[in-house]
Amino acid sequence: MRRFAGPVLLAAGLLVAVWLPNGVYTGLAVDLLCWALFAVSVDLLLGYAGLLSFGHAAYWGSSAYATGLLAVHLGLPFPLAVLGGALTAALIAVPVGYLAVKRVGIYFAMVTLAFAQMIYFIANEWRSVTGGENGMQSVPRTLGSVDLSDNYYFYYAALPIVLGGLGLTWRIVHSPFGRVLVAIRDNPARARALGYPVHRYKLAAFVLSAFVAGLGGGLFALAHQFVSLDTLHWTTSGKAVIMVVLGGIGTLWGALFGSSFVVVLEDSLSQADFASPGLITGGVFVLAVLLFRRGLWGTVAAFLRRRF
Amino acid sequence: MTNFLEQTFNGLVSGSFLALLALGLAVIFGLLRVVNFAHGAIYMLGAFGAYVLADELGLPFWAALLAVPVGLAALGMVLERAFIHRLTKLDPLYNFLLTFGLTLILQDLVKARYGVQSSPYAMPSALSGSVDLGLFEFPAYRVFVLGTSIAICVGVWALLTRTRVGMVVRAATERPELTRAFGINVGRWITPVFGFGVALAGLAGVLAAPMRAVNPLMGADLIIVVFAVVVIGGLGSIFGSVAVGFVIGVAQVWAEAYAPESWRALIAQTLPFVLMAVVLLWRPAGLFGREEIA
């Protein structure tokens, strides 16, 4: 039974991904894709390396800006613009990660958060490049002669990048490298004693995670054809962590479910003109942390494991 | 020279808020091992508390200065009993996340009631003039803020080092198991200490009300700077938190005043984080922190 669970899930997930823009409105479908990558990138760190990055908006947002700049000024086809954005995010993650991995636990969270805020201030002040509080307007999405102005077609054009990012993350956590990360999470002293350079592994995980977050952020910029300062704000980092906790820490499927839940929730709140979304998302978050720490997917998976 | 001293004084005043917030955070962290993300939101509630007392009940600043911290301490103790207490056995990360969720809720509650624009709060009339401090005249209210902040930091330090309660708290902070073995009920102190730390943040908020814009997001960006302060000072260290709070306040105001014109805002805002990067390179546990308290 269990032998088939993985492939069946994967097939079901792919079917849902292919069908999605026919079921929900296309803007929401594209958003679901972008946030899925963001949540998965946070879970890669939190779930497998045990590192709570509370500043991942820095990579999501800096990739959004870099992708936007590449698209506006160089007119690159959109997959290249996204790749450039994600590489920029990974590059920024190198020095930040190098400093952050010197601390663990709650300190790590505060350090990543603080550096993310620094990047937020830089984007805010560097108006000539980022547009400051007005954001970056009318970002084009081009792919040769293919018309991507409709979100329906953009969804299918973006889907391979998203699946590539998800596949990359899956590959990372199931590789020997991923096993070492789990070993470091569970017992850093023993991992060090076994000869693994703990800091270097954490830094590598941090940079890879920033790259995946950057893929999502770049697509997000193109999806909205607009980049705002919000993409770099710490509440955006918090939102990604909410998604992971709600879905279930350390389960990549959980990150997908958690991000879908939060995106759909926020979308329906804004459709209903509800003025205080933080009240609901904050409340959901408090409840998840207090009562539901395994998250949606973690609870289901534990239940299935007991039954079969 | 005159100008330099004036800027330095303004920096100390601005550092007063950082020091009070960092002090509350350090006191809470000391006993509970909880980093209270909601500290910035509590600071905001302190300022709004003063505004609401004045606007709706006509109470003066002095009443708010006493009533708001006491009320927020009560709120803090309720939050500790209702939520934070349930997570003490778990990874401290969960408490960080919980208080983040509370921050979103508190911010949006205030936003829903009072909107996002700033609410005006009048300077207390007794402090509206200026004080001659020998060389220069300084706004009386700012002198009051600085004096209050220093008095409270010294008071907390005396409380922790000179009284029996303080000794118990310090002992429990450093060696909780050993303190328990001496027959001291460590758990009994947790809720009041949380309330006390929250009251300090609330007090900083009341002090900020006449000086700074009172709005629902006033604590949001400040709390991140306070996090940088405690990383630089060393989260376990009361002295480090306070001293670095003042230093960052002064450094930011100097940058505002003396950095090249077009770079001022950027340098002032990013300075705490650049300093944090330097300290992490050189002393990862913070300037006054000890390695074992991670």
Side-chain angles (χ1 to χ4, degrees):
Chain A
M1 185 69 205
R2 196 168 306 166
R3 208 149 56 88
F4 298 110
V8 167
L9 266 173
L10 190 62
L14 281 174
L15 278 176
V16 170
V18 171
W19 161 84
L20 195 64
N22 303 295
V24 299
Y25 75 92
T26 51
L28 179 62
V30 176
D31 270 3
L32 285 168
L33 287 186
C34 304
W35 285 99
L37 277 176
F38 194 12
V40 159
S41 77
V42 171
D43 195 31
L44 166 63
L45 276 181
L46 177 57
Y48 296 89
L51 297 168
L52 173 65
S53 169
F54 220 92
H56 244 46
Y59 314 108
W60 161 265
S62 56
S63 170
Y65 276 106
T67 302
L69 288 169
L70 288 171
V72 169
H73 295 297
L74 298 182
L76 286 183
F78 88 91
L80 284 181
V82 171
L83 190 66
L87 287 173
T88 308
L91 208 63
I92 293 173
V94 172
V96 175
Y98 174 77
L99 290 166
V101 298
K102 289 174 176 261
R103 304 298 299 168
V104 294
I106 206 70
Y107 264 103
F108 180 84
M110 290 200 291
V111 170
T112 50
L113 178 56
F115 282 128
Q117 188 72 359
M118 180 163 100
I119 291 170
Y120 174 86
F121 283 136
I122 292 173
N124 188 19
E125 294 296 328
W126 202 0
R127 288 189 193 89
S128 56
V129 170
T130 62
E133 276 171 9
N134 299 323
M136 193 186 292
Q137 320 267 350
S138 47
V139 176
R141 51 190 193 211
T142 52
L143 186 65
S145 56
V146 186
D147 177 22
L148 290 176
S149 52
D150 190 335
N151 265 332
Y152 186 82
Y153 298 110
F154 181 67
Y155 178 92
Y156 288 107
L159 190 57
I161 296 180
V162 176
L163 293 179
L166 296 178
L168 172 70
T169 315
W170 191 88
R171 198 70 205 86
I172 291 169
V173 301
H174 289 91
S175 68
F177 171 79
R179 302 288 175 204
V180 177
L181 286 184
V182 172
I184 290 171
R185 176 193 71 190
D186 291 342
N187 194 333
R190 187 178 295 170
R192 195 173 293 120
L194 286 171
Y196 292 111
V198 169
H199 281 8
R200 219 177 298 163
Y201 269 89
K202 284 183 180 173
L203 176 59
F206 194 81
V207 173
L208 284 168
S209 166
F211 179 80
V212 175
L215 288 178
L219 285 175
F220 190 75
L222 296 170
H224 293 255
Q225 303 197 280
F226 171 71
V227 188
S228 79
L229 267 181
D230 270 354
T231 58
L232 286 170
H233 199 253
W234 58 261
T235 45
T236 303
S237 303
K239 206 158 99 184
V241 179
I242 291 179
M243 292 170 170
V244 173
V245 174
L246 193 61
I249 295 170
T251 63
L252 293 181
W253 284 103
L256 298 181
F257 276 87
S259 62
S260 307
F261 183 89
V262 173
V263 171
V264 170
L265 178 71
E266 288 202 328
D267 180 69
S268 44
L269 287 176
S270 70
Q271 299 284 333
D273 270 335
F274 186 73
S276 307
L279 219 55
I280 306 292
T281 44
V284 167
F285 197 35
V286 167
L287 287 179
V289 171
L290 278 177
L291 309 170
F292 209 54
R293 278 184 292 277
R294 269 182 178 160
L296 296 169
W297 183 257
T299 308
V300 172
F303 173 76
L304 291 178
R305 229 172 282 135
R306 270 202 309 279
R307 289 296 298 272
F308 300 108
Chain B
M1 192 60 196
T2 312
N3 187 272
F4 176 75
L5 284 180
E6 223 171 306
Q7 299 293 357
T8 308
F9 169 78
N10 281 334
L12 288 173
V13 172
S14 148
S16 298
F17 299 110
L18 293 176
L20 279 178
L21 287 170
L23 175 63
L25 214 55
V27 167
I28 290 173
F29 182 82
L31 203 54
L32 283 77
R33 285 289 175 274
V34 165
V35 172
N36 182 22
F37 203 112
H39 221 62
I42 303 277
Y43 162 83
M44 178 273 292
L45 286 182
F48 263 97
Y51 167 75
V52 169
L53 286 184
D55 199 54
E56 286 170 20
L57 300 175
L59 287 176
F61 174 76
W62 307 106
L65 202 56
L66 193 68
V68 170
V70 171
L72 285 176
L75 172 72
M77 289 198 275
V78 169
L79 290 179
E80 201 279 328
R81 283 278 104 186
F83 300 118
I84 291 162
H85 190 72
R86 292 168 196 275
L87 300 172
T88 38
K89 295 267 185 303
L90 298 166
D91 195 310
L93 295 178
Y94 283 110
N95 264 313
F96 191 73
L97 298 176
L98 178 89
T99 48
F100 170 74
L102 289 176
T103 303
L104 294 184
I105 294 174
L106 291 174
Q107 277 183 2
D108 264 27
L109 278 177
V110 176
K111 219 189 284 179
R113 178 81 177 73
Y114 297 99
V116 284
Q117 65 280 60
S118 298
S119 305
Y121 188 83
M123 183 82 64
S125 53
L127 295 173
S128 56
S130 56
V131 176
D132 194 355
L133 289 181
L135 292 167
F136 321 97
E137 297 217 325
F138 291 114
Y141 186 74
R142 290 178 179 230
V143 175
F144 171 74
V145 168
L146 182 57
T148 310
S149 170
I150 291 174
I152 285 175
C153 293
V154 171
V156 170
W157 171 79
L159 201 69
L160 285 174
T161 53
R162 296 276 183 276
T163 67
R164 193 180 145 71
V165 173
M167 284 173 203
V168 169
V169 169
R170 278 191 305 144
T173 302
E174 284 174 23
R175 298 273 187 279
E177 293 310 319
L178 191 63
T179 315
R180 270 193 202 95
F182 276 106
I184 292 165
N185 187 349
V186 172
R188 205 176 55 173
W189 296 102
I190 285 181
T191 308
V193 166
F194 189 81
F196 181 71
V198 164
L200 288 177
L203 181 82
V206 178
L207 288 174
M211 251 181 81
R212 296 192 169 174
V214 178
N215 72 66
L217 297 174
M218 64 187 287
D221 290 345
L222 194 64
I223 186 64
I224 318 288
V225 178
V226 174
F227 283 165
V229 166
V230 296
V231 171
I232 295 172
L235 190 39
S237 163
I238 303 272
F239 175 77
S241 306
V242 170
V244 174
F246 280 109
V247 168
I248 295 280
V250 171
Q252 279 189 306
V253 170
W254 278 351
E256 286 273 6
Y258 302 115
E261 187 81 43
S262 52
W263 292 88
R264 273 176 193 177
L266 182 65
I267 292 178
Q269 284 174 323
T270 54
L271 196 76
F273 311 116
V274 174
L275 286 177
M276 184 181 77
V278 173
V279 168
L280 279 169
L281 271 177
W282 171 47
R283 278 190 67 124
L287 294 179
F288 303 94
R290 283 167 320 207
E291 195 51 60
E292 71 260 31
I293 305 176

